[in-house]
Every structure is written in structure tokens, then in C-alpha cells.
Amino acid sequence: MTDTSWPLKRILEPVRRYWGFDRLRPMQEEAIRAGLERRDSVVVMPTGGGKSLCYQVPAVLAERTDVVVSPLIALMKDQVDGLRACGVHAVALHSAMPPEARAQVESEIATGNCRLVFLAPERLMTGRCLEMLDRIGVRAFAIDEAHCISHWGHDFRTEYRKLALLKQRFPQASIHAFTATATERVREDIVTQLGLRDARILVGSFDRPNLVYRVIPRVDGFQQVADVVRRHERQAVIVYCLSRKDTEAMAASLRAGGAQARHYHAGMEPDERRQTQDAFAQEKLDVIVATVAFGMGIDRSDVRAVIHATMPKSVEHYQQETGRAGRDGLEAECVLFYSGADVMRWQSLFERSAAQAGLAPETTQPQLALLHEMQRFSGVPACRHRALVEYFGQTYEQENCGACDVCLDEVEGYADATETAQKILSCVARVDQRFGAGHVGDVLLGSNTERVLKFRHHELSTHGLLKGTAKKALTNMIYQLIDQRLLERSDGEYPVLKLNAASLEVMRGQRTVRLMQPKSAPLKKTRFDEESWEGVDRELFESLRTLRREIAKERGVPAYVIFNDATLRDMARVRPTSKESFLAVRGVGEKKLADLGAVFGTRIVEYCREHKLACDDSESKPRATPAAAK
Ligand code: ADP
Ligand code: ZN
């Protein structure tokens, strides 16, 4: 079939009716067409870019039963709930289902009325499942998180490898791979592994204009994370930590500060994990503190902040994890608290896990290469939007993004950085380059610790040279010098600080040094932040959020399945009560209007009466956020 058989108008019709969106985002149209024409495709879009719609619309429009391969059961369930709430018939089949439920779903599939069948890869490749798909004559497969098939990706999963057989088993069906990982190598690997034929490769823009990126020197992690969380009272926040123990300590510290926070990691009992995840999805919990294991199983679209308490181990991870913020297209911030110490911690973790697996230390090379890219991203004060987009091989047009710490001019240098650096370096020299950062710090601060006294370092001229500096700030400065290669740190179990040629240049005053610190001034609002709140009655918005939470609880579904924040903000702007003005709100389709229009309408009428406001404000047209408008 050619493009002309699916004019844009026809594609938009179900998009409006079921999803309540009146336009498609960049790349969505092409990806949907590939699905309709059943031409193999690889669709690369950042997290939050809107991949799901690309495989959902063709099945609905062509009235097919398409299969979606998805790695996580929790995510599948949410997708099915979400689709049903929009009036699209979808089911999921996975191993955690009791036999009766499975039989029920299988008979639903046999009717041919299901539009989407979500399957875990290991289930799909079973004889029983393959036969069932033969019987219904499946015409198209969508593979979500397709990078999991590639060794070159950051999330390889063995069960995905079996998908290589799909093309042989169903030569008549098209395969559509979706991923947020953009490296050329992974993309090629997906094509090869899946045996795609003449695939359309569609790569969307990697920029997420609604996200503000901040990379801040970490001087007091607990305090700094708590400050960001406080900026987002009663909003969804994800904090990423490096280890399980870290997540527990961080969650406890945030709770002590009055925040509603819980930890989440792979070492927890499945029940406890599910409870935490459900509480977060149902908006009973605001802050989740997690290791990398968390994320793929959560689909809450109104996450307003993603905080990295430590540096992630690759830019890919950073992009994926920060991608969880602002998936509804509204403003959100991503804050990374960075210290060079993180790099050392990852390095020793890589080495340890290689040793445990009986592998040679060189096998950590690829991991180290990714780690150093991440270190460069964190350590170089250049526009973060640009750096990310360029890392993924695209060009960035804007000079000033207006949405990162660098462009917003939030990074601040220490006034006397060169002098401070000289003091640190000369102290390293005085202790004969035989001590680590902790001890050097103690000497500079003038502490009389046991070790300082034992080595008679209280008699050194550098003892107390930086007295009065906060210990954590000083440690951070030492790591900044290491990051900038102005100071070396030896490998091994007891690393010591060593000078190099650059250190000597600094000490001789032949080189100036820049050391950064968190700026104490209050943060400016970004243009995006202001625009997305324009005309919104905040009190009404909060009241609609409460209503949403109540309904979600009653129905036992995640709150965003009801409406997402972008939709509620539009409602709090337009105050719709008529059918027409409700349908004009982004995210309200016919099914949801019939289902929820009355109860939300009543709340809006009551609110307007109480506050003497007009309803159906046609002046305040629903606003497309920049992410959606382009
Ligand atoms: P991805 O799978 O790429 O991470 P999703 O498919 O979950 O992203 O979409 C992210 C968000 O964007 C969802 O809340 C979805 O409802 C919304 N969205 C997708 N397409 C559109 C569109 N054309 N207009 C408005 N919102 C959209
Ligand atoms: Zn910028």
C-alpha cells in the first residue's frame, strides 16, 4: 500500500477519538505509516517521546491483532489498563498469571477482537503461544525496548535473543523495533539480530526541551537531595543511588526531613517491591529512592524531578533515567550531584564484578569507556542539552537552551580557586605523595587526628592551610582536581594522591584553575516552566488531582491511567463543562469523556461557582506544550 491510502486525516481520526490528541509528534506519523504498510522498521525516540502510540494506532486503524513484546510485566499491565481506559481492547499474557486467567485471555485473543496483545519474550517463544499466533494469523510484531537484544546496548537480556527466530517463524509478518538507545551500533545490531528486511530507520529528535538539566558539585549529598525534593512538594520525584544500601540511607534521611520517601531495589522481597511501586503509581507515595533496577517498571508520566545522588555509569543510563521525568511533556528537572569520587567507585565495582566472574581486568574496558564519557559530560561545564544531543549523534541548533545549569548561568566558580589548588597540591607534595584524599584533607583543615599526629603531619607548613573550609567541600575540590587531570590518584586498594606535570605548572603559577561550587542564589524559573502554567488555576488543578487520585484508588489503577497532569492542567485552564470543550482538552477522547466527563465536570462547576469563575473559557485554548507542538 502507498502513503495515499492512509491520509493523515484518517490516521488522526482514531488518535483523537481514543487518545484525545489532536496532533502527532515528530516521527510518530512515519512510524505509524510503517506499521500500517507493514514495512519492517526501527524507531528510535527518547524516553517520553511517544513510542507507544506508534504501535498502537496501526493495530486499531487496520483492525488487526498485533503483538507487542515487552520486557516487564508491571509495565504491560499498566499499558493494558491505559489502553482499556481509552476504549482500545488490549490484553497481556505473562507467566505470573493463574491458568484460568490465561485461558480467559487466550479465548479473547482467539475472537480476533483484541487489538493489542502484550507478551513477555520468553512466553512468546513457547510452542503453545506460537501456535495461537498462527491461528489468528498475526500480521505485525512490535518489539519494545529492542536494544535489549544487543550486546552493545546497556541492557542486554538473553531472553530477547530468541526473538531472532521470529522472522523465520512468521515470514509474512512485519517487525517494528522500538528503542530509546540511539547508538549506530545498537541500531545495526537490532536490524541484524531480528533479520529485518529493508527496514525503515526512523530516528526522532533526542532533545527533551521540557527538561532542565543541572549538574551540581556534590558537597553534602543528603542535604542537597533534600533541598531538591523540597522544591517538589507533593510531586513525583525519583532519586537514583548507586547501591542498595545507599537507597535505604537516602530514603531514611529524606523521611527524617519530612518527605514521603521509600527505597526500592532488586534485593527487596517481591511483595514489598510491588507495594512500593503500586503506592508510587497510585500517588500515595511521592519520592522513590532507587538503584538502576528501578525505572523500566514505572510508567508514571508526571515525574517532576529525577535526581541522581551519584553519577550513573554511562550517558545512556543517564539519558534513560532522566527520561523518566516529564513524560507528560510538562516541565521537569533533572539534577545530578556529581563528585569525581563516583568515578572511582564505579571503577572498583567493575573490577570487583569482573574478578568475581573470573574475567580478566581488561574485560572492563568497554564499561570504562562509557564511564569516562559520563565523567566528561558531568565535569565539563557546557550546555547539557547540546552535549546530550551531540552524544547521540545529532546536531543541536540553539545557542542557549535556556534550560540547563550552564545556560541559566547557575554554575559558580570559587573566587580563589587557583590559590586553593596550589595549597592542596603542595600539601600532597609535603606528605610525600603517599596519602589519600581523606588524610590530605585532614592536614589542610588542621585536624589533629591520630594518623596526622602519628606521621607528625601537624608539624607541616600546610597543616591548617585551609582551616575553616567544610570537609565535604574540600574533598569535592580534590576530586575536581583529579577530574581535570591536575592531580593523579593511584589505583589499588589504598589509592594515594600523586602529582603530575600539570600539578607542577599549577604550583609554579603557570596555570590557572577553575573549581566549581553550587550557587547559593535561588534558581530562576525557566521560560518553559512559566509557559506551561500560564492561565492555569493552581487550586483547581490540585483539586482535580485529588479527584483523580480518589478515582484511581477506587478502580485500583495507576492515577495516570485516568488522566495525566498535562490534561488536568488544560482542564484547570479551560474549565470545561460542555462536551465540546472537554473534547478540545488534550488527552480527552470519547471513551474518557463518557466515562469521566460527568464527575470531572461536576467538580469544575462546583469550583467555578465557589470562586465566581466562568466555565468553558474559550479564550484559554488548551495549550500544546512545546514538546508536543513541534
Ligand atoms: P515512550 O514510550 O517513548 O517513552 P510514551 O509512549 O509513554 O513514550 O509517551 C509519553 C507521553 O506522551 C505519554 O503520556 C503519552 O500519552 C504522550 N503522548 C504521546 N503521543 C502524544 C501526542 N501525539 N500528543 C500528545 N501527547 C502524546
Ligand atoms: Zn544549555
Side-chain angles (χ1 to χ4, degrees):
M1 256 180 261
T2 62
D3 272 13
T4 49
S5 39
W6 298 106
L8 183 58
K9 240 176 85 193
R10 263 197 79 194
I11 297 177
L12 281 175
E13 200 268 326
V15 171
R16 265 197 207 103
R17 173 142 45 103
Y18 294 105
W19 287 274
F21 303 146
D22 57 4
R23 69 188 95 197
L24 292 172
R25 291 189 182 160
M27 271 317 149
Q28 280 181 329
E29 184 183 342
E30 288 90 332
I32 289 171
R33 282 187 195 286
L36 287 168
E37 292 159 19
R38 300 199 308 102
R39 172 161 172 201
D40 289 350
S41 58
V42 178
V43 179
V44 187
M45 270 185 207
T47 310
K51 289 184 282 296
S52 340
L53 204 66
C54 305
Y55 56 74
Q56 293 166 348
V57 173
V60 170
L61 204 51
E63 299 184 359
R64 304 191 302 235
T65 302
D66 286 358
V67 171
V68 183
V69 180
S70 176
L72 263 152
I73 297 172
L75 212 71
M76 271 185 217
K77 193 180 157 301
D78 292 350
Q79 288 239 26
V80 169
D81 285 345
L83 281 164
R84 292 195 163 179
C86 293
V88 176
H89 193 166
V91 292
L93 265 183
H94 53 75
S95 44
M97 279 168 118
E100 318 83 70
R102 198 184 310 157
Q104 159 71 26
V105 166
E106 282 174 358
S107 67
E108 273 181 59
I109 296 172
T111 64
N113 292 327
C114 284
R115 292 292 73 102
L116 294 146
V117 179
F118 289 82
L119 284 168
E122 59 276 17
R123 175 128 303 259
L124 167 63
M125 300 319 277
T126 60
R128 180 185 169 121
C129 197
L130 294 170
E131 279 161 30
M132 179 187 72
L133 297 179
D134 276 334
R135 277 198 297 278
I136 60 162
V138 63
R139 311 283 303 279
F141 290 92
I143 319 278
D144 208 2
E145 313 287 357
H147 59 274
C148 294
I149 202 169
S150 172
H151 269 302
W152 300 111
H154 58 283
D155 198 12
F156 172 70
R157 289 168 183 247
T158 20
E159 64 278 14
Y160 259 67
R161 268 291 149 99
K162 299 209 189 86
L163 298 175
L165 298 173
L166 217 49
K167 203 70 189 180
Q168 293 162 25
R169 188 64 177 67
F170 298 94
Q172 80 293 355
S174 58
I175 297 185
H176 308 277
F178 293 85
T179 179
T181 309
T183 58
E184 190 79 33
R185 199 175 214 179
V186 173
R187 211 182 297 159
E188 283 166 9
D189 211 19
I190 291 173
V191 173
T192 319
Q193 296 292 333
L194 290 173
L196 303 187
R197 286 191 290 259
D198 184 28
R200 277 213 74 178
I201 311 283
L202 297 165
V203 184
S205 161
F206 261 75
D207 190 37
R208 297 279 313 275
N210 58 322
L211 303 187
V212 177
Y213 298 105
R214 303 193 154 98
V215 183
I216 297 172
R218 184 176 69 242
V219 285
D220 182 347
F222 287 118
Q223 189 55 48
Q224 287 173 296
V225 170
D227 287 345
V228 180
V229 168
R230 208 166 305 119
R231 286 210 282 277
H232 297 277
E233 214 187 326
R234 284 190 313 173
Q235 294 177 343
V237 177
I238 302 176
V239 182
Y240 283 104
C241 295
L242 195 148
S243 73
R244 294 174 184 181
K245 244 170 75 192
D246 290 355
T247 65
E248 291 170 15
M250 180 61 78
S253 143
L254 289 172
R255 274 197 304 273
Q260 236 197 6
R262 276 201 237 162
H263 66 266
Y264 182 100
H265 56 66
M268 287 156 71
E269 291 300 321
D271 265 357
E272 197 190 351
R273 224 163 57 199
R274 193 163 333 111
Q275 268 174 18
T276 305
Q277 195 157 308
D278 288 350
F280 189 63
Q282 292 181 5
E283 300 192 349
K284 285 185 242 162
L285 175 68
D286 296 332
V287 185
I288 204 147
V289 186
T291 53
V292 282
F294 181 79
M296 281 185 77
I298 192 74
D299 224 7
R300 193 166 165 178
S301 68
D302 64 342
V303 173
R304 298 271 78 87
V306 167
I307 305 170
H308 281 93
T310 29
M311 185 189 80
K313 59 180 166 181
S314 72
V315 180
E316 282 82 354
H317 280 92
Y318 178 73
Q319 159 90 4
Q320 199 185 36
E321 287 156 12
T322 52
R324 308 273 152 206
R327 294 175 74 160
D328 50 16
L330 301 174
E331 82 292 338
E333 72 169 322
C334 307
V335 188
L336 163 58
F337 291 108
Y338 170 72
S339 161
D342 301 340
V343 182
M344 326 284 168
R345 248 183 110 186
W346 280 119
Q347 261 168 353
S348 60
L349 273 176
F350 294 164
E351 281 159 20
R352 206 180 318 147
S353 65
Q356 272 164 4
L359 298 170
E362 305 85 75
T363 53
T364 60
Q365 276 310 323
Q367 282 174 301
L368 285 178
L370 293 177
L371 182 70
H372 290 140
E373 291 291 346
M374 186 62 216
Q375 180 182 16
R376 186 168 321 149
F377 171 83
S378 315
V380 177
C383 175
R384 314 289 176 189
H385 278 271
R386 173 183 294 275
L388 281 175
V389 164
E390 289 180 351
Y391 181 83
F392 290 105
Q394 300 184 333
T395 47
Y396 190 73
E397 306 294 339
Q398 269 159 266
E399 212 31 72
N400 182 311
C401 75
C404 80
D405 56 340
V406 180
C407 294
L408 289 167
D409 199 18
E410 290 171 355
V411 270
E412 186 171 52
Y414 282 103
D416 39 12
T418 304
E419 203 182 312
T420 306
Q422 285 167 341
K423 289 177 182 169
I424 294 171
L425 296 174
S426 57
C427 189
V428 172
R430 288 272 178 270
V431 300
D432 295 330
Q433 310 185 51
R434 283 174 44 225
F435 291 84
H439 184 78
V440 170
D442 283 338
V443 176
L444 283 162
L445 294 176
S447 313
N448 290 319
T449 63
E450 218 175 288
R451 247 165 98 76
V452 168
L453 298 175
K454 177 175 162 200
F455 290 99
R456 309 184 73 85
H457 286 163
H458 58 292
E459 291 168 8
L460 295 177
S461 59
T462 52
H463 188 253
L465 214 51
L466 288 173
K467 211 180 180 104
T469 312
K471 169 107 197 215
K472 286 170 176 170
L474 178 56
T475 310
N476 188 276
M477 286 191 264
I478 295 176
Y479 280 109
Q480 288 190 46
L481 292 177
I482 300 171
D483 264 0
Q484 297 177 34
R485 304 225 168 285
L486 300 175
L487 182 61
E488 301 288 327
R489 185 176 178 272
S490 68
D491 295 328
E493 207 174 337
Y494 301 104
V496 298
L497 299 179
K498 291 199 176 294
L499 303 176
N500 61 18
S503 325
L504 301 180
E505 287 176 25
V506 175
M507 289 163 80
R508 285 193 221 107
Q510 293 160 341
R511 204 178 164 133
T512 55
V513 178
R514 247 163 85 86
L515 293 171
M516 311 312 288
Q517 63 178 329
K519 207 165 184 169
S520 41
L523 299 174
K524 284 174 271 184
K525 282 235 175 300
T526 65
R527 188 174 46 83
F528 197 98
D529 194 356
E530 280 171 0
E531 277 174 14
S532 73
W533 278 108
E534 211 176 291
V536 177
D537 187 314
R538 291 215 185 204
E539 202 183 323
L540 177 57
F541 172 69
E542 286 303 330
S543 162
L544 297 177
R545 270 184 88 200
T546 309
L547 179 60
R548 170 178 70 182
R549 193 154 47 233
E550 289 159 6
I551 299 173
K553 194 176 161 206
E554 216 174 88
R555 299 187 180 184
V557 295
Y560 53 81
V561 164
I562 308 294
F563 285 127
N564 73 16
D565 270 21
T567 303
L568 294 190
R569 273 199 211 172
D570 269 354
M571 281 190 200
R573 186 179 279 132
V574 183
R575 304 185 290 276
T577 55
S578 74
K579 186 170 172 235
E580 292 68 36
S581 50
F582 255 117
L583 281 176
V585 169
R586 180 166 37 116
V588 185
E590 284 175 14
K591 170 90 195 299
K592 287 203 176 170
L593 174 68
D595 185 17
L596 299 158
V599 47
F600 277 83
T602 308
R603 176 67 60 101
I604 292 168
V605 170
E606 278 168 11
Y607 182 90
C608 289
R609 192 175 307 137
E610 209 177 296
H611 292 80
K612 303 202 168 40
L613 283 169
C615 298
D616 298 307
D617 184 353
S618 54
E619 292 295 291
S620 272
K621 286 238 174 319
R623 199 170 303 264
T625 55
K630 267 204 277 179

